[in-house]
Amino acid sequence: MANLWQDVRYALRMLAKTPGFTLTALLSVALGIGATTAVFSVIHAVLISPYPYSGADRMVRVLAEDRVGTPRNFFLTGPQLRDFQQLKSVDSALGQANWELATTGSDLPEDVRAVFLTPNVSSYFGVPALLGRGLLPSDASDGKEPQPVVVLSFSFWKRRFAGNPDVLGKTISMAHQDYTVVGVLSPRFAWTMGDVYLPLRVTNDPTSLIWLSCVKLKPGVAPQAAEGEFESLLQTFAKQTPAHFPETFRVHVRLLTDEYDLGFAHMLYFLFAAVALMLWIGCANFSILLLVRGTARQFEFALRSAIGASRVRVLRQLLVESLLLSLSGAVVGVLVAYAAVAFIVRWLPQSAYPHEVAIQINLPVLAFTAGLALIAGLLFGLSPALRLSRTDANRVLLSGARAAGAGMRANRTHAFLVAGQVALTLLLLSAGGAVTEGFLRLMHAPLGYDSRNTLIVGIPLHDNTYMTWGQRAGYFDQLRRQVAALPGVLSAAVATRATPPVSGFETKIAISGKPATEEQRARLGMVSLEYFSLLHIPLRDGRIWDQAETMLGVPVAVINESMAHRYWPDKSALGQTFQLPDLKTGPFRIAAPNAGQWFQVIGVVADARNDGLDQTVKPGVYVPYTFLMELYTHILVQTHGSLYSTYNAVREQVRSVDADQQVEGHGEIVTLESLVTRQQAWQQAHLATVLLGSFALLALALASIGLYSVMSYGVTQRTNEFGIRIALGAQQRDVLRLVFGSAVVSVGFGLATGLFLSFSATRLVARWTTVSSSNPLILVSAMVLLLVAAFVACIIPAMRGSSTDPMEAIRRQ
């Protein structure tokens, strides 16, 4: 142990004497470990441990897939929920109902997302409250009204009560009812993004609707095995309450941990592979630096061997220095990782992972970092240490050279490491360039509509308000007219499920004169007539309906060009008729009396994005918004004034029409332009562009340092040779040719290998990063950039070698 401590102290002194080498080696390891740790932190949080809930790996969503495979939620009655909870494969089932409530008793109502849960919620999730308690079975006894108690989410507690720990026992008024605060939930409890959680009353009333939110399977029960049992019971329920289920469906069970887009997981794994390559480049640099530094110390090692130091002693000394550097690099790498995690989180697509996710540097991540450091220190420090510990003491001492030749084996090792760095750097540069070009193409893709200066204001209706078709149509019409009359507002339109770039809901259609098939489908949006002029969607043929047709519920429709070309390719679509079977009254929505009639096409408009940024436009149908009015809609507001002032003015108008209503959200301004940047395809491409570009540039810097170190080492080793050549008449260009020639093989081999890897990875990049480009100019540009960096890394040692003083070189012979 004393000898080991002596080695540590000596290593620290030697590292302190060479700050340039120490800093370069430290950063080479730290950047690789820091970037890898940051991406692993994201993977661990998002894919390995996304939920804080007890038994999250047994929690499943139960969905009803229609004929075309579209997953849909369904509703149960109280008795049906109790029957479901008795199934053999079910450990516990959670019932839920969501409503938008408004705070009352204040000057301006605030929108509150209220989540009503069955009383087993605390035992179901198993997450203790931060303050007070969660909901208990006694809060909602069978046959009795639920207790007026409420549990606050962490974010709502911070926003509404400024994080006051004395909030327990206080009351909050919502929809003119007072509720007593009994608890505050932990920061990671974010189930369905509720603001407040209240007990749900489960009764025998067949008209009461409960959403089967989530089911926890018994231990050992596979989701596929539970599907059969669920299928039988839910088909029976569908016969009892057909309005609560799709007309035809099959049950699909999906793990809660598998709920989010797999494409995002692929992208994270791709980024992890990218940082692993960067880590390899950094570690290769580390190995090269150790070899170069060790060569300069061969006289020291020979002298130690001559006075009795064993090979094991020298080897241990070198390994101690290597491990000290790698572990120090890990410490710096953790600091880099903290900054990198914050940077990555900023650009992560928020809709691609659960809100419960907490991305942070935790114990598993720190263990991963320590393991990386040990592997880097041992694996990349062992080879130089073994080679340098075999120094021929007699030859070195007799020659008196400070840097005796390390032999062809060392040169081959250098060439291999440099070639590997060049190949992997070219792969990262080409991948980063492909993703960047694809992202730029996505950004400049035509939308088909004008998204500038347009607010999107959500209007959630309260339960049991505007219960007739006429009342609801009149409310939305009055609200739209008053918003349109505000100063600075150019236009206002009602849009239900029609906010691009993802607009309309998939529905089947029955076209007159054609046999009904499941392939006859379109995206249906319910809008007011101002919608098309507000978004500058051109009218190609026909006309738009008028206000009278809207308020009378006349069955007219406008379609997009994709629908006209799909279903009436050889004739005009104007005057054609079709039915919309899904346009009918159901839970939480009111259909117009004429919704079941045949709709007549009166206009054709240009295509506008309705299925995201990276998909082709689907056939689209627009009908007056009065044909299907739900409890939630949007008002689109185009303004030439301040967006913030206009938003506040709209809030006041909503309150003036109905003092108990409010707009959605908590003062957050949502625009059509922001919806584009919130698209998962846009965010994933942006994230991949920023991170891959950063990793590629860092890899380029590390590879340049590695090449510079190798060239400096080579020039040092051949100083005598260059001096003799110059003394015999060699010109400077001859020496430059020799120096650059030594780099040509390794750089050329690396470029060839990198070219092959880049071609092989093109499809993988396209599939795992949403968008990319196969433009050959990108690969050519990456090669040129790499060659320029290689030239810069070689020119300085080459100039030094060509300026060798012959007399000094001969004296050192």
Side-chain angles (χ1 to χ4, degrees), residues 74 183 233 296 378:
F74 54 86
L233 185 62
L378 290 174

Side-chain angles (χ1 to χ4, degrees), residues 36 144 207 236 255 297 348 394 410 464 490 517 689-690 783:
T36 308
K144 297 181 181 179
T207 62
T236 302
L255 281 170
R297 296 173 61 192
L348 281 178
N394 291 328
N464 298 320
L490 299 175
T517 64
T689 297
V690 172
M783 293 178 66

Side-chain angles (χ1 to χ4, degrees), residues 385-432:
L386 286 173
R387 182 170 296 114
L388 294 169
S389 66
R390 289 197 296 264
T391 300
D392 186 343
N394 291 328
R395 181 171 60 86
V396 173
L397 292 174
L398 286 174
S399 67
R402 290 182 302 152
M408 293 300 295
R409 186 184 303 176
N411 294 332
R412 286 196 298 269
T413 301
H414 291 164
F416 171 77
L417 291 174
V418 168
Q421 286 183 318
V422 169
L424 297 180
T425 302
L426 180 60
L427 175 60
L428 288 176
L429 285 172
S430 60

Side-chain angles (χ1 to χ4, degrees), residues 99-101 207 461-468 471-472 588-590 631 658 660-661:
W99 296 108
E100 297 288 334
L101 300 181
T207 62
L461 290 181
H462 295 164
D463 187 25
N464 298 320
T465 58
Y466 305 103
M467 297 301 292
T468 68
Q471 289 175 339
R472 195 166 292 186
F588 316 122
R589 64 186 190 180
I590 301 174
L631 288 178
D658 186 341
D660 288 335
Q661 293 294 336

Side-chain angles (χ1 to χ4, degrees), residues 113 262 289 483 545 563 642 680 685 729 813:
R113 290 186 293 270
L262 188 61
L289 289 167
V483 170
W545 58 79
M563 182 164 178
S642 164
Q680 189 167 320
Q813 180 65 29

Side-chain angles (χ1 to χ4, degrees), residues 493-615:
V494 179
T496 303
R497 304 204 188 192
T499 51
V502 179
S503 61
F505 67 91
E506 194 83 10
T507 184
K508 58 185 176 181
I509 60 175
I511 299 176
S512 177
K514 293 184 179 182
T517 64
E518 284 296 329
E519 287 71 28
Q520 292 179 356
R521 304 184 73 84
R523 284 190 171 263
L524 174 63
M526 288 74 69
V527 301
S528 64
L529 63 95
E530 299 82 9
Y531 176 87
F532 304 100
S533 59
L534 186 150
L535 295 180
H536 299 150
I537 300 176
L539 179 66
R540 298 300 193 200
D541 200 4
R543 66 180 181 88
I544 309 297
W545 58 79
D546 57 32
Q547 181 67 10
E549 290 170 320
T550 299
M551 302 313 294
L552 292 174
V554 178
V556 291
V558 171
I559 64 174
N560 66 3
E561 289 179 301
S562 290
M563 182 164 178
H565 295 154
R566 170 77 64 85
Y567 297 116
W568 299 284
D570 302 323
K571 54 185 174 181
S572 173
L574 296 183
Q576 303 297 329
T577 58
F578 59 86
Q579 275 187 318
L580 298 169
D582 293 336
L583 209 62
K584 55 187 176 183
T585 298
F588 316 122
R589 64 186 190 180
I590 301 174
N594 296 331
Q597 296 186 12
W598 290 86
F599 283 79
Q600 183 181 35
V601 179
I602 62 170
V604 178
V605 295
D607 283 342
R609 293 280 177 181
N610 61 6
D611 193 29
L613 302 176
D614 55 342
Q615 302 294 327

